[in-house]
């Protein structure tokens, strides 16, 4: 193993550790409780199967993996990530005792995020070089929202990894290998992670048509590296079925149910530029503006530079004489002449990931998490752009005053390091309330609030007020928990005394029974303040949790 490859593995390990450490301060996201429970059931079924505690029958599969209702046993979502959550909890927490229950459930996502950093590093290293690979990998590590999502037991970070793993495997398998099984299996696992993967064939299909046409004109669109297409079309669906027992019978009906559920997905509330949206048509620019406001500014600037570099190199390759050959072309041109067209592949991958959200009809209730598979492409472009800009700056200085090679190398590290450092600072500042955080273009968290951007979702921020509750009501009492999830888990973890039971929802008298009340601030939750004011006879909260001055959770105490 070369030193450069070792660097990639070290980056992956460091990323995994960063995610594990960071998630310790993250509250329980509402969806996590569902996925953790389903994951434990799935894991128990698999372990029971391999230990011969039970066999395979329609009845026991239905009891664990499905049911008559569209959300029974969380059958509306593929099982791969959930199964990993459950297996990790059984091994790391139950058997080995190496981590707490919640950390054990979340550990697979941390490992997968480390794998994503390795994949980005490996791709960029193979195509653009070591410096570009280092910067790209570090910029993936330092994405504020992605780091948050990688630390919770949901699907948005895993699908980012599995999507890019499929893209990378596809690119590798275009090398002409006889059995390109890797891309098919990874595509199947991506399908088994989240339904976003259904979009991947659009990116890969257009790319294959392009490289096939370049290789063999119209005939090449079908015949060029045809085994890759067969692998995607055959092994992909087969892998999905293998890891999802719910598809082992009534396969087509169950697949139809799965896809139909998401095609007709309910539209939840989200705030965008001062308005609450819960029904189409949505503004076509939601995904673009949200991305501009949530990715670190330095990363965005470097990514746009990198995209410009790719375009310039593509134009240079087209303008170069057809018979010049690779050896006669400048280095910058030789890289883009790669017959596998890596830059185009990354652009298509990002475009297909984010494209559906430009239509104005696709449900958008979790902001950037829905199109996070676009982020690895952004970061690789940023790596290319940052290194290109640094080298141009060094060339300008060297033209005026000759710089020793060692000085040039130090300057390259320093300039690109500033881009990485800027992203690292934004990422650190954003935690643990990353969904409230916005970048410098928006004016940080306060600017995002002033612009009317989404404040948060999933109720995870409630964890931040837990230490205050015993101070506000030492004797304890029922708490109206509003949108907070995992109240019982917090008590199991020792983060909250059991003398503070959940009073229940507002529809079942929860506010009236409570002595303390939480209101988690989102625009569509404004009415909950009024409900509490009326019941408590006071409009004054006794504690307000803030992120950089932005209110995210208010606590009221009954008089």
């Amino acid at each position: 193993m070369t030193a450069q490859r070792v660097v990639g593995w070290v980056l992956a390990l460091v990323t995994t550790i960063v995610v594990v450490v960071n998630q310790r301060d993250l509250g329980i996201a509402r969806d996590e409780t569902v996925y953790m429970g389903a994951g434990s059931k799935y894991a128990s079924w698999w372990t029971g199967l391999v230990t011969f505690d039970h066999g395979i029958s329609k009845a026991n599969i239905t009891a664990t993996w499905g049911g008559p209702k569209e959300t029974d046993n969380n059958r509306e979502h593929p099982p791969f990530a959930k199964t990993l959550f459950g297996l990790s909890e059984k091994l790391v927490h139950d058997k080995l005792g190496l981590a707490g229950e919640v950390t054990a459930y979340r550990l697979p996502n941390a490992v997968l995020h480390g794998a994503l950093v390795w994949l980005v590093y490996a791709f960029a290293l193979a195509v653009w070089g070591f410096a570009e690979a280092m910067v790209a990998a570090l910029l993936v590590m330092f994405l504020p929202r992605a780091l948050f999502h990688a630390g919770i037991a949901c699907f948005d970070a895993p699908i980012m990894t599995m999507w890019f793993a499929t893209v990378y495997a596809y690119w590798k398998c275009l090398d002409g290998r006889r059995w390109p099984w890797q891309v098919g299996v990874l595509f199947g696992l991506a399908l088994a992670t989240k339904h976003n993967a259904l979009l991947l064939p659009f990116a890969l299909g257009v790319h294959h048509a392009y490289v096939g046409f370049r290789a063999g004109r119209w005939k090449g669109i079908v015949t060029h590296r045809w085994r890759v297409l067969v692998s995607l079309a055959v092994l992909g669906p087969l892998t999905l079925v293998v890891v999802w027992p719910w598809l082992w019978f009534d396969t087509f009906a169950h697949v139809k149910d799965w896809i139909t559920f998401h095609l007709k997905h309910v539209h939840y509330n989200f705030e965008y530029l001062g308005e609450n949206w819960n029904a189409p048509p949505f503004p076509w620019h939601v995904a673009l503006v949200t991305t501009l406001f949530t990715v670190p500014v330095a990363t965005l600037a470097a990514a746009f530079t990198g995209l410009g570099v790719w375009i310039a190199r593509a134009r240079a390759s087209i303008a170069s004489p057809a018979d010049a050959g690779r050896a006669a072309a400048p280095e910058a041109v030789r890289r883009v002449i790669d017959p596998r067209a890596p830059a185009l592949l990354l652009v298509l991958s990002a475009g297909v990931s984010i494209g559906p959200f430009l239509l104005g009809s696709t449900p958008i209730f979790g902001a950037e998490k829905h199109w996070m598979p676009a982020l690895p492409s952004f970061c690789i472009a940023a790596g290319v752009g940052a290194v290109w800009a640094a080298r141009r700056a060094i060339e300008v200085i060297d033209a005026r005053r000759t710089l020793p090679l060692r000085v040039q190398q130090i300057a390259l590290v320093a300039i690109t390091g500033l881009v990485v450092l800027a992203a690292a600072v934004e990422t650190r500042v954003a935690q643990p309330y990353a969904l409230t955080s916005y970048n410098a273009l928006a004016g940080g968290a306060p600017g995002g609030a002033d612009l009317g951007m989404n404040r948060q979702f999933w109720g995870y921020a409630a964890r931040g007020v837990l230490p205050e509750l015993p101070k506000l009501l030492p004797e304890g009492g029922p708490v109206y928990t509003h949108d907070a999830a995992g109240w019982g888990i917090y008590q199991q973890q020792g983060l909250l005394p059991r003398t503070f039971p959940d009073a229940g929802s507002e529809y079942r008298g929860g506010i009236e029974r409570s002595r303390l009340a939480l209101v988690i601030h989102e625009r569509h939750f404004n009415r909950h303040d009024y409900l509490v004011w009326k019941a408590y006879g006071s409009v004054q909260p006794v504690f307000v949790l803030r992120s950089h001055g932005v209110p995210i959770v208010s606590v009221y105490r009954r008089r």
Side-chain angles (χ1 to χ4, degrees):
M1 182 179 293
T2 66
Q4 290 184 345
R5 288 188 175 274
V6 171
V7 169
W9 288 108
V10 170
L11 288 171
L13 177 61
V14 170
T15 301
T16 300
I17 294 171
V18 167
V19 175
V20 170
V21 172
N22 188 66
Q23 64 82 35
R24 295 182 303 178
D25 295 326
L26 302 183
I28 304 295
R30 183 173 58 251
D31 289 7
E32 277 191 287
T33 58
V34 177
Y35 303 152
M36 289 173 179
S40 290
K41 292 185 69 173
Y42 299 171
S44 295
W45 190 90
W46 281 112
T47 54
L49 183 65
V50 300
T51 56
F52 303 104
D53 289 343
H54 65 77
I56 298 173
S57 69
K58 183 174 182 179
N60 72 29
I61 288 176
T62 300
T64 300
W65 302 87
K69 298 179 181 178
E70 62 182 10
T71 59
D72 283 348
N73 289 308
N74 201 232
R75 69 178 178 90
E76 73 274 22
H77 293 293
F80 182 56
K82 288 177 288 185
T83 304
L84 294 180
F85 302 158
L87 291 172
S88 176
E89 192 273 337
K90 283 185 175 296
L91 175 63
V92 178
H93 174 259
D94 292 352
K95 186 172 183 179
L96 301 178
L98 295 177
E101 184 180 36
V102 173
T103 297
Y105 276 121
R106 291 170 166 179
L107 182 60
N109 278 5
V111 175
L112 285 172
H113 205 56
L116 174 64
V117 168
W118 182 88
L119 289 164
V120 167
Y121 175 85
F123 196 165
L125 179 66
V127 180
W128 289 282
F130 178 69
E132 290 87 346
M134 279 291 296
V135 175
L138 288 170
L139 291 179
V140 172
M141 188 189 304
F142 297 129
L143 288 167
R145 300 277 180 117
L147 177 61
F148 169 87
H149 287 292
I152 59 176
C154 292
F155 314 141
D156 306 292
I159 188 56
M160 178 169 57
T161 297
M162 298 312 302
W163 177 294
F164 190 75
T166 305
V167 169
Y168 179 57
Y170 162 80
W171 178 78
K172 290 281 286 184
C173 288
L174 288 177
D175 61 6
R177 64 190 66 190
R178 187 172 182 180
W179 301 112
W181 58 269
Q182 299 91 339
V183 63
V185 171
L186 285 169
F187 177 50
L189 292 177
L191 289 170
T193 301
K194 196 177 180 187
H195 63 278
N196 301 50
L198 292 166
L199 298 171
L200 259 171
F202 293 98
L204 304 185
V206 171
H207 181 268
H208 186 271
Y210 173 77
V211 296
F213 184 81
R214 286 180 61 182
R217 307 298 291 176
W218 295 107
K219 181 180 178 181
I221 293 177
V222 176
T223 61
H224 182 69
R225 305 293 188 247
W226 59 270
R227 291 183 177 86
V228 172
L229 299 180
V230 173
S231 180
L232 286 165
V234 176
L235 291 183
L238 282 178
T239 302
L240 171 65
V241 171
V242 167
V243 301
W244 197 354
W246 181 237
L247 303 185
W248 291 2
F249 61 93
D250 297 333
T251 304
F252 293 105
H254 291 166
V255 169
K256 180 182 177 182
D257 288 345
W258 166 46
I259 295 175
T260 301
F261 177 88
H262 294 286
L263 288 176
K264 297 181 178 180
H265 199 290
V266 63
H267 294 277
Y268 297 145
N269 294 278
F270 75 99
E271 185 178 4
Y272 177 69
L273 296 181
E275 294 189 33
N276 188 73
W277 300 87
N278 55 21
F282 304 116
W284 65 268
H285 43 75
V286 171
L288 300 179
V289 173
T290 302
T291 300
L292 286 174
F293 284 169
T294 55
V295 175
V297 175
T299 303
L300 287 173
F304 283 121
T305 303
L307 179 61
V309 171
W310 286 344
I311 293 172
R313 290 177 180 176
R315 293 178 63 184
S317 71
I318 293 172
S320 62
D323 59 350
R326 290 174 59 90
E331 175 65 16
V333 175
R334 290 209 307 274
R335 288 192 182 279
V336 81
I337 294 177
D338 185 329
R340 291 178 289 177
L344 176 64
L345 176 59
L346 292 175
V347 170
L348 287 170
S349 173
V352 166
S353 174
I354 206 169
F357 300 95
L358 307 181
L359 301 177
S361 58
T362 306
I364 305 172
F365 45 82
E368 76 295 325
K369 78 185 188 74
H370 294 301
W371 54 85
M372 284 206 309
L375 294 180
S377 294
F378 288 7
C379 291
I380 294 177
V384 172
V387 172
W388 177 88
R391 286 174 174 157
R392 296 296 80 76
I394 293 169
E395 286 178 3
V396 171
I397 297 172
D398 188 57
R400 297 186 177 185
R401 181 178 179 179
T402 303
L403 298 175
L405 178 60
R406 186 65 174 172
V407 173
Q408 293 185 29
Q409 292 172 338
I410 293 173
L412 178 64
V413 172
I415 296 171
T416 56
L418 288 174
V419 176
V420 173
L421 179 61
V425 170
E426 282 204 36
T427 301
R428 178 64 188 91
V429 167
Q431 310 305 318
Y433 305 112
L435 300 188
T436 306
S437 180
Y438 289 87
N439 66 20
L441 289 178
D450 289 342
L451 289 168
M453 297 299 289
N454 212 43
R455 187 73 56 93
Q456 59 184 313
F457 53 90
W458 277 339
Y460 74 98
R463 174 174 174 165
V465 306
L466 299 183
E468 303 299 322
L469 302 188
K471 301 175 188 177
L472 298 171
L473 197 67
E475 69 273 22
V479 181
Y480 169 63
T481 61
H482 188 200
D483 196 41
W487 201 254
I489 296 176
Y490 291 140
Q491 293 177 328
Q492 291 173 11
Q493 290 181 310
L495 296 174
L496 182 70
R498 294 187 181 275
T499 52
F500 291 90
D502 185 349
S505 78
E506 64 270 23
Y507 301 110
R508 298 182 179 180
I511 295 178
E512 287 70 23
R513 279 193 301 272
S514 66
R515 295 191 62 195
L516 293 173
L518 275 56
V519 174
I520 297 171
H521 294 300
E522 298 179 42
R523 188 177 184 87
H524 67 104
F525 284 152
N526 285 349
R527 71 184 184 92
H528 291 79
D529 280 299
Y530 293 96
L531 292 173
V532 173
W533 295 347
K534 180 180 179 181
Y536 278 29
S538 173
V539 299
Q540 182 66 45
V542 291
F543 178 78
V544 178
L545 178 68
R546 293 177 170 88
S547 177
H548 304 283
V550 177
I552 49 180
V553 184
S554 290
V555 182
Y556 295 89
R557 181 174 57 202
R558 187 180 295 277
R559 289 179 174 180

